[in-house]
Amino acid sequence: MIPKAFFITSGMGMAYDHDAAFDLALQDAGIGECNLVEVSSILPAKAEEVDKMSCTCIPGEITFCVLSRMAGKSGELIGAGVGYGWLRDSTDSDSNSNSPVFGIICEHHGHHSRDYIESKIRNKLKTMTESRNHNIDKDKELKLDLKRIEVKTAVVEEHKFGSVVAALVFV
């Protein structure tokens, strides 16, 4: 099972119940009818980002994703984000080869602003790249080509619960 494509999405929901707010956030993100299975943080080298609108999720479909979610109550700031980048071999002497070795994905969530979450995701991706450089052949050096960060934030409406989600979804 090697995914050939993926899309990134995000959503927000507000309701008088925690679970309903989460369900609304998933629906807003366009993945509310899927059975989500959370996976970790690696993108296959040949996977391509596609437009979410070009994908059809069949109700009940098992759907693999990297999911970031945050819930909160009235008046709280909530945020969730996901980002990815390609790792490329910067020592590759073939100048025509710009193919990634593979990609990495990370998420962050909390009671934080959009800028803070974006910054945390950038730092996590950088740390993930550095750790891989310590564990590879010394003649090779991986360089991060950051591609995209998606963040959803909201202040929860009065007398309600809120939920935000951001996900990289494999298709």
Side-chain angles (χ1 to χ4, degrees):
M1 291 177 50
I2 299 178
K4 293 177 177 48
F6 62 93
F7 65 85
I8 293 180
T9 187
S10 62
M12 172 186 65
M14 304 281 171
Y16 295 104
D17 173 278
H18 277 289
D19 293 334
F22 178 55
D23 184 56
L24 289 170
L26 291 175
Q27 287 181 50
D28 186 43
I31 53 176
E33 308 308 325
C34 301
N35 287 308
L36 301 176
V37 177
E38 292 183 52
V39 297
S40 61
S41 55
I42 303 300
L43 275 171
K46 295 186 181 193
E48 293 183 32
E49 184 173 2
V50 295
D51 182 62
K52 176 179 77 167
M53 300 309 286
S54 69
C55 300
T56 304
C57 293
I58 299 166
E61 180 178 357
I62 303 295
T63 306
F64 296 96
C65 68
V66 174
L67 179 68
S68 178
R69 68 186 272 196
M70 186 65 193
K73 56 188 177 190
S74 180
E76 291 181 332
L77 171 64
I78 54 176
V82 66
Y84 84 95
W86 296 110
L87 294 179
R88 302 186 193 278
D89 181 357
S90 65
T91 61
D92 192 346
S93 59
D94 182 2
S95 60
N96 294 329
S97 174
N98 197 20
S99 316
V101 177
F102 59 89
I104 54 176
I105 313 159
C106 74
E107 64 84 24
H108 194 78
H109 61 274
H111 296 286
H112 307 296
S113 69
R114 173 180 305 282
D115 289 345
Y116 181 84
I117 291 173
E118 282 183 15
S119 173
K120 290 299 282 186
I121 290 171
R122 285 179 198 280
N123 288 338
K124 286 180 176 184
L125 288 168
K126 181 180 173 191
T127 299
M128 291 170 73
T129 302
E130 289 169 357
S131 71
R132 280 160 177 79
N133 275 325
H134 292 299
N135 294 325
I136 63 169
D137 183 349
K138 296 203 185 295
D139 294 333
K140 196 181 249 193
E141 182 180 351
L142 297 175
K143 180 180 176 188
L144 176 66
D145 178 10
L146 178 63
K147 285 301 186 186
R148 185 165 170 201
I149 296 174
E150 173 86 12
V151 177
K152 182 66 89 174
T153 60
V155 174
V156 181
E157 297 171 10
E158 193 164 331
H159 306 297
K160 289 188 178 181
F161 294 100
S163 182
V164 289
V165 296
L168 185 144
V169 181
F170 291 103
V171 291

